Amino acid sequence: MTSRRREFAMPTRPTGDGWAPRRRLAIGVAILAISATAIGCGGSDDSGTAAAGGQDEPFEFLCLSDTTGPAKIYGEQQELSCNAATDHVNANGGVNGHQIKLTHVSTNGDPATAVSALQKFISENGKPDLVWPGEGSSTVAAALPIIKREGILSFSGSDAGGLLVDDEYPLSFAAQATPATPTQAAAKWFSDNGVKFVGILEADIDYNQGETPFMEKALDELGIRHTVVGFDRETLDLTPQMDKLKSSGVDGIFFEGLGPPVGFSLDARAKLDWDVPWVGDLSASSLDLTTLVSSPSALKDTKLVVFRPNPASQAELPGVVAYKKAGEAHADIAKTDKVPISSPIAVWDALLLVAGAAKQANSTEAEAVAGALENLNDETATNPLLTLYGEYRYSPDHHVVVGATAEDYPVIDPGPVSGGHIQAPAD
Amino acid sequence: MGITIWSGLTEGAIFALVAAGFQLSLIPSGVFNFAQGAIVVGGTFLTYLWLESIGVPFVPALALNLLGGIALGALAEIISVRPLRWRATADDAGGPPVELVTTVGLSFALIGTFGLIWGYLPLRVPFFGPTGTVEFLGIRSNPVQILLVVGAIVVAVSLQLWFSRSRLGQACLAVAEDRDSAMVRGINVNRLSIGAFAAAGALGTVSAMAIGPVTFASPEVANLLAVSGFVALAVGGETSFLGSLFGGFLIGIVSALAVRYIGNAYGDISLFIVLLLTLMLRPQGIGGEAQTRTV
């Protein structure tokens, strides 16, 4: 039976919590619209604390993440990352001389709760200087209109389903690129390995459905045929879908989805006695793949497209080392190292970029910092302590990372996740 | 096509096992325990706890799951059903069954509790038997899938025989037929009710030892199991274990074939059609018996 199931959130990936279907996104936006109307749409003209006050005023940073709900394992990491990044920036002079004052509130994995938390913070404390509205696309999408209305600078781990790829939200940025670049990395891998016909297995969630056109375009550019088969994210078995792909003659699988269906797909490939290569997308790499298959042999000929800091070989990346060192002060950092590091570390990159842009603009005013982010100097854009990308660039109508290259997305063999990194597979 | 049918059969076996749990508590108590799906999920977490976290051998783990299921089932009856027996219910006034609402509430409470304890990430539940793939009837399958199909058949046949041939089983059917008359004839319906819930709980947590390795242990599987089990029950008939076994297999296979040969979106649509046709052509379910009503 096609079935419905689970919605645990995912770590850093282009549109966030993955288990959020389109309707949830729409509900989140609707809730926000109603709440905005209810409180009487008049936005405050007040600047954030640091921007409004003198040098002694703190730079108010509101970090929203799910530390109590379905995405708790990721949300706790983000909270710790907010703390580590705050400590690091404060130790290096703060944001244009202002020390960061961090407030964390749990969203419980719910867009309505996130919006309430943001509104409550504003009504009780005034506008924060910076908001991290989380990573889930539905949560970010729900928070963006308030952030825009209040004129607050924001950074998120999601582009909220493409909302940041125009100038609609001039003060909101994502520490992510569009799916174009990671799909190019996957398509190149197929091309390099002689695959002629790729079967795209697509989950019915917003990020994956948005990712498919990019993948099709990337394959077209390399002259590789493709076909798409969808699946319900709550399925219990993907044998029918994999059998359909097998009978259509594909010689490579590109999997777009996360959680148990990853394992179902690989188990189905083994049951079909089918030895075509299988490449998982960024969302597939958000959990330890070795825990999702019924037998280690199901991982044969399997690859994952991952964020740059995820492989164990990148554990010595300067930014990763600095991040972990800063995180040691918050000892819990080690307890949540069973998911790839790209989830929490996006907050780290975001805060480094904001600090660099504020210094460049010599201001903590949201508009000034946003302007600097759109024209980052090399010192900030290529700061060696940045982790997810080698270079961050934004433009006025493109508030997702435009400087990303295929090298930022290695295609690796999946092994167990330990210390926040995907280890080499056991022999 | 063979492997697609087998895939549907294995999913259908899971739904049939959940449906059997529904029936086990429904027949003697008259209450549809929506929390049965959550109890099965509780069983998957218990299995993970014993076999993976603590490392308990299989037989003691089985016994512990059995006890856990009895406790969860009895708790469900005591918390969500028994208090309503002491007061006039909406049933008496011809309204909807209030117990259904309380068991739905209990289901959410259990799901939230499991989430608090174990989190929401899917946990791989180890299978106590062999893993990997084996050839079975010319199809490559996981051993756990074979166990699920065989187990569902054994459970359905055993319960069907027990209810139709044992004194206690017939007492349960008498209660299902007419609770008041059964009480007048000396049947202790309260004891039957809690016993039935405990037995259904035990069935849920024991079958979870085979269901968990397929579904993972995850709080959010509970509603899927409850809804799918209900559809199997509605198609098969509420008092027929063989009927709900057939119902589970039917919806599993129809859905898998629809996904394979028409498209992913047609899996749910095909189920709706099966359910609709059943309710139109045979409202009592495929294995159910028509009720005679005197007017």
Side-chain angles (χ1 to χ4, degrees):
Chain A
M1 167 184 178
T2 306
S3 34
R4 45 214 55 68
R5 163 138 70 99
R6 41 188 156 272
E7 196 166 320
F8 48 91
M10 70 166 295
T12 309
R13 65 185 181 79
T15 60
D17 73 4
W19 287 258
R22 284 176 192 277
R23 62 178 175 274
R24 204 171 158 204
L25 189 71
I27 290 168
V29 173
I31 289 168
L32 181 277
I34 292 165
S35 354
T37 305
I39 64 170
C41 299
S44 165
D45 289 334
D46 297 340
S47 299
T49 309
Q55 204 66 17
D56 293 339
E57 289 295 329
F59 183 87
E60 291 274 4
F61 174 29
L62 175 61
C63 175
L64 301 174
S65 71
D66 176 12
T67 53
T68 53
K72 182 179 173 183
I73 190 167
Y74 301 120
E76 284 179 339
Q77 285 183 305
Q78 287 190 13
E79 181 185 6
L80 293 166
S81 186
C82 283
N83 278 286
T86 296
D87 288 354
H88 176 82
V89 172
N90 281 344
N92 288 278
V95 179
N96 199 36
H98 296 269
Q99 291 289 290
I100 299 173
K101 181 184 172 193
L102 170 66
T103 304
H104 176 271
V105 181
S106 175
T107 63
N108 202 37
D110 173 35
T113 306
V115 167
S116 298
L118 178 56
Q119 289 175 328
K120 184 166 182 271
F121 183 92
I122 293 170
S123 67
E124 292 178 355
N125 305 284
K127 289 183 347 185
D129 293 289
L130 175 67
V131 172
W132 173 269
E135 286 195 333
S137 52
S138 51
T139 304
V140 176
L144 279 178
I146 289 186
I147 288 168
K148 179 183 179 183
R149 190 192 70 212
E150 297 289 342
I152 304 169
L153 183 69
S154 79
F155 244 104
S156 59
S158 161
D159 71 345
L163 290 178
L164 301 181
V165 192
D166 56 35
D167 57 0
E168 176 68 20
Y169 297 99
L171 302 178
S172 296
F173 295 80
Q176 299 243 347
T178 68
T181 320
T183 51
Q184 284 163 3
K188 183 174 182 303
W189 187 92
F190 283 121
S191 176
D192 291 347
N193 287 275
V195 175
K196 305 288 183 201
F197 186 15
V198 172
I200 301 172
L201 198 50
E202 170 203 77
D204 65 345
I205 54 181
D206 53 0
Y207 170 62
N208 297 127
Q209 290 178 333
E211 178 185 21
T212 298
F214 289 104
M215 185 60 184
E216 290 179 307
K217 185 172 179 228
L219 291 169
D220 285 340
E221 286 170 354
L222 294 169
I224 299 174
R225 291 171 61 214
H226 48 80
T227 184
V228 181
V229 170
F231 67 89
D232 189 331
R233 72 189 186 284
E234 299 147 340
T235 187
L236 293 178
D237 191 353
L238 283 177
T239 304
Q241 287 89 342
M242 289 291 280
D243 188 35
K244 189 172 188 172
L245 287 174
K246 184 180 182 185
S247 66
S248 65
V250 305
D251 58 352
I253 302 287
F254 183 62
F255 182 90
E256 301 176 354
L258 69 170
V262 181
F264 298 152
S265 156
L266 290 167
D267 285 344
R269 186 182 62 162
K271 278 185 277 185
L272 290 165
D273 198 16
W274 196 22
D275 59 0
V276 292
W278 182 105
V279 178
D281 72 345
L282 289 175
S283 47
S285 70
S286 62
L287 287 173
D288 186 339
L289 205 58
T290 62
T291 66
L292 297 175
V293 290
S294 61
S295 165
S297 61
L299 288 172
K300 185 171 172 261
D301 289 330
T302 298
K303 297 282 179 184
L304 280 177
V305 180
V306 300
F307 283 98
R308 191 172 67 138
N310 281 351
S313 60
Q314 298 299 316
E316 300 304 318
L317 207 62
V320 172
V321 173
Y323 165 74
K324 289 189 173 179
K325 187 178 175 192
E328 283 171 5
H330 307 277
D332 285 347
I333 201 83
K335 82 173 185 185
T336 52
D337 65 355
K338 295 293 184 188
V339 294
I341 198 169
S342 55
S343 169
I345 214 162
V347 188
W348 169 271
D349 281 8
L351 214 52
L352 291 187
L353 290 169
V354 167
K359 182 181 172 190
Q360 182 181 326
N362 191 26
S363 170
T364 55
E365 287 281 358
E367 290 80 3
V369 177
L373 283 166
E374 290 167 355
N375 297 283
L376 282 174
N377 59 28
D378 288 346
E379 181 188 354
T380 301
T382 59
N383 182 346
L385 294 185
L386 293 170
T387 61
L388 289 179
Y389 300 100
E391 181 173 357
Y392 275 86
R393 295 289 178 192
Y394 297 98
S395 68
D397 60 356
H398 219 75
H399 283 190
V400 294
V401 178
V402 294
T405 66
E407 283 68 43
D408 291 315
Y409 297 98
V411 181
I412 65 168
D413 295 317
V417 176
S418 172
H421 297 282
I422 300 173
Q423 308 293 320
D427 291 332
Chain B
M1 183 182 280
I3 195 159
T4 300
I5 291 175
W6 177 248
S7 165
L9 265 180
T10 55
E11 277 198 42
I14 294 173
F15 306 150
L17 283 167
V18 177
F22 280 140
Q23 290 173 300
L24 202 45
S25 55
L26 175 65
I27 293 172
S29 71
V31 175
F32 183 84
N33 179 19
F34 192 84
Q36 183 68 20
I39 290 173
V40 173
V41 168
T44 64
F45 278 115
L46 287 176
T47 308
Y48 179 84
L49 177 67
W50 312 135
L51 297 182
E52 182 74 21
S53 300
I54 300 178
V56 175
F58 169 67
V59 174
L62 177 67
L64 287 166
N65 261 35
L66 185 74
L67 291 173
I70 289 171
L72 278 173
L75 190 71
E77 205 271 352
I78 292 167
I79 290 177
S80 60
V81 177
R82 184 148 303 208
L84 301 172
R85 297 250 193 249
W86 300 102
R87 63 186 67 188
T89 67
D91 252 350
D92 298 330
V98 179
E99 295 95 335
L100 178 61
V101 178
T102 56
T103 59
V104 168
L106 178 67
S107 177
F108 282 114
L110 287 174
I111 292 168
T113 305
F114 299 147
L116 279 175
I117 298 172
W118 284 287
Y120 288 83
L121 281 182
L123 300 173
R124 167 62 74 182
V125 179
F127 179 50
F128 50 86
T131 56
T133 53
V134 294
E135 288 277 334
F136 177 71
L137 301 175
I139 294 168
R140 287 168 68 91
S141 174
N142 299 125
V144 66
Q145 292 180 308
I146 299 168
L147 177 67
L148 273 171
V149 174
V150 173
I153 294 170
V154 169
V155 165
V157 171
S158 304
L159 288 173
Q160 187 79 31
L161 288 174
W162 186 82
F163 270 90
S164 61
R165 302 205 175 165
S166 73
R167 268 179 78 87
L168 193 55
Q170 289 182 337
C172 292
L173 290 172
V175 174
E177 189 82 15
D178 189 331
R179 184 182 175 85
D180 292 335
S181 298
M183 287 172 72
V184 169
R185 287 170 182 272
I187 295 174
N188 187 334
V189 293
N190 284 333
R191 190 179 294 173
L192 267 188
S193 176
I194 196 165
F197 269 70
L203 174 62
T205 51
V206 169
S207 60
M209 298 187 85
I211 293 173
V214 174
T215 65
F216 293 78
S218 168
E220 291 164 6
V221 180
N223 289 338
L224 159 71
L225 295 182
V227 171
S228 306
F230 170 77
V231 176
L233 178 71
V235 170
E238 69 178 44
T239 57
S240 170
F241 290 93
L242 292 179
S244 62
L245 174 72
F246 179 78
F249 283 161
L250 181 67
I251 63 174
I253 292 171
V254 167
S255 174
L257 289 173
V259 167
R260 168 66 179 82
Y261 292 102
I262 308 176
N264 182 56
Y266 293 89
D268 284 344
I269 294 172
S270 65
L271 289 191
F272 176 72
I273 292 170
V274 169
L275 188 57
L276 197 65
L277 285 175
T278 305
L279 294 177
M280 284 171 62
L281 302 174
R282 198 171 164 81
Q284 70 272 31
I286 292 168
E289 292 174 8
Q291 300 284 317
T292 306
R293 192 172 62 171
T294 306
V295 292

